[in-house]
Amino acid sequence: MARDHGFHPVRITRIVDETPDTRTFALDAPFPYRAGQFLTFKVCGTLRSYSMSSSPDTDGELCVTVKRVPGGLVSGWLHTHLRPGDTLEATRPGGSFCLRTDAVERPLVGYAGGSGITPVFSLVKSALATTPRSVSLLTAHQSSGSAIFREALDALAARHPGRLRLHDHLDDRDGLVGAEEIRALADRDADHYICGPEPFMALVESTLTAAGTPAERIFVERFTPAPFKETPADAVPAPSEETSADAVPGTVTVDLRGQRRTVPQRVGETLLQSARRAGFTPPFSCESGDCATCMARLTDGEAKMRVNNALDADEIAEGYVLTCQAEPTTAEVTVIYED
Ligand SMILES: Cc1cc2nc3c(=O)[nH]c(=O)nc-3n(C[C@H](O)[C@H](O)[C@H](O)COP(=O)(O)OP(=O)(O)OC[C@H]3O[C@@H](n4cnc5c(N)ncnc54)[C@H](O)[C@@H]3O)c2cc1C
């Protein structure tokens, strides 16, 4: 039986201005969730994920915190249109950027850049409340005016003296975050949780790796999937017309909302990319194999997933794949997106 991938109405109960461009939305959403997970919202037909900034262990309400991206479709809409009492459509929580149950005594180090603080804040609150772990947190923001949760973090540190150490980095005061700052936190015995802009994440990951931190102790959450270009349906070549040098023998047939289209296979292309090339706009969110928003069922042929942090063994046995990660391994593949 596939997981519940449907959308559910959630009501906005409260809106809090955190900084001039960041707002927290408290939701009446009766979902169980784990610290570090996210919800995927459908707004004007577009899917976007937002991590919970609340902790299921310390906060009585479920909250997401959204930074308004200049020119951003959904973040702009949420900021402009939502009022308490309004209803949104959201999936059940997903994601695996969570505390490990086997790590109750291991130190935890968080690295959060900008809006990347949201899931890290949730993790830190849960770790402090449910384990004896010591926690260090590096927060990087452009200026004090954009430091999301500054007062809440100071209050948390005051409630956990000696257990929560905060390292505040402000670009306008300290310049950009440097490797030295990260090396100072690179405890090889700790679990390291990273979320923020791509260059920040790349610097933290590479510095931790160079300092000898094992890969299994580094956890990342990416907010920004790789960009892609939609192919209009009428521009899709028929399989017999395909001339790409990347074409390989075989086809991918995609079934979405009652429409079925077939495109030739291409070297190294995921099923999600094939579906887009077929002119579809299939569901997706993280494009990292973490969220399962893009999951679909293979009814013919086989495919191999590069990364799977979202599907369980039963779902895989039933033929489900993460289309953002699955590449065909047989000549003919048919995949059905089930709404
Ligand atoms: C697992 C996960 C968790 C996340 N959690 C959070 C969170 O807790 N808080 C948070 O704030 N965000 C979070 N995000 C990011 C969030 O999902 C959105 O990506 C973000 O809000 C931007 O979406 P948008 O629709 O506003 O912007 P988009 O419309 O997608 O635009 C993004 C950028 O692209 C530019 N752009 C858009 N269209 C064009 C175009 N035609 N040409 C050129 N440039 C263009 C925009 O100007 C903008 O800079 C998360 C993402 C993931 C995957």
Side-chain angles (χ1 to χ4, degrees), residues 21-23 36-40 46-53 63-79 94-95 97 114-119 148 195 221-225 284-288 290-291:
D21 64 0
T22 305
R23 275 189 184 158
Q37 288 193 308
F38 57 84
L39 295 178
T40 299
T46 301
L47 301 178
R48 291 285 184 273
S49 300
Y50 292 97
S51 303
M52 265 66 84
S53 51
C63 297
V64 294
T65 299
V66 179
K67 180 170 178 165
R68 184 178 195 148
V69 175
L73 184 70
V74 172
S75 61
W77 191 93
L78 295 173
H79 274 245
F97 188 63
S115 59
I117 185 63
T118 48
I148 308 165
C195 188
E221 183 73 302
R222 295 190 193 287
F223 280 6
T224 43
F284 74 97
S285 185
C286 75
E287 290 201 85
S288 307
D290 289 334
C291 77

Side-chain angles (χ1 to χ4, degrees), residues 11 37 40 48 51 59 63 71 121 128 150 164-166 180 206 253 257 260 276 284 289 301 313:
R11 199 169 51 84
Q37 288 193 308
T40 299
R48 291 285 184 273
S51 303
D59 299 313
C63 297
F121 188 35
L128 290 170
R150 176 69 283 140
L164 173 59
R165 276 181 292 278
L166 299 175
E180 198 50 47
S206 61
T253 299
R257 293 183 205 107
R260 184 169 275 234
R276 287 171 180 159
F284 74 97

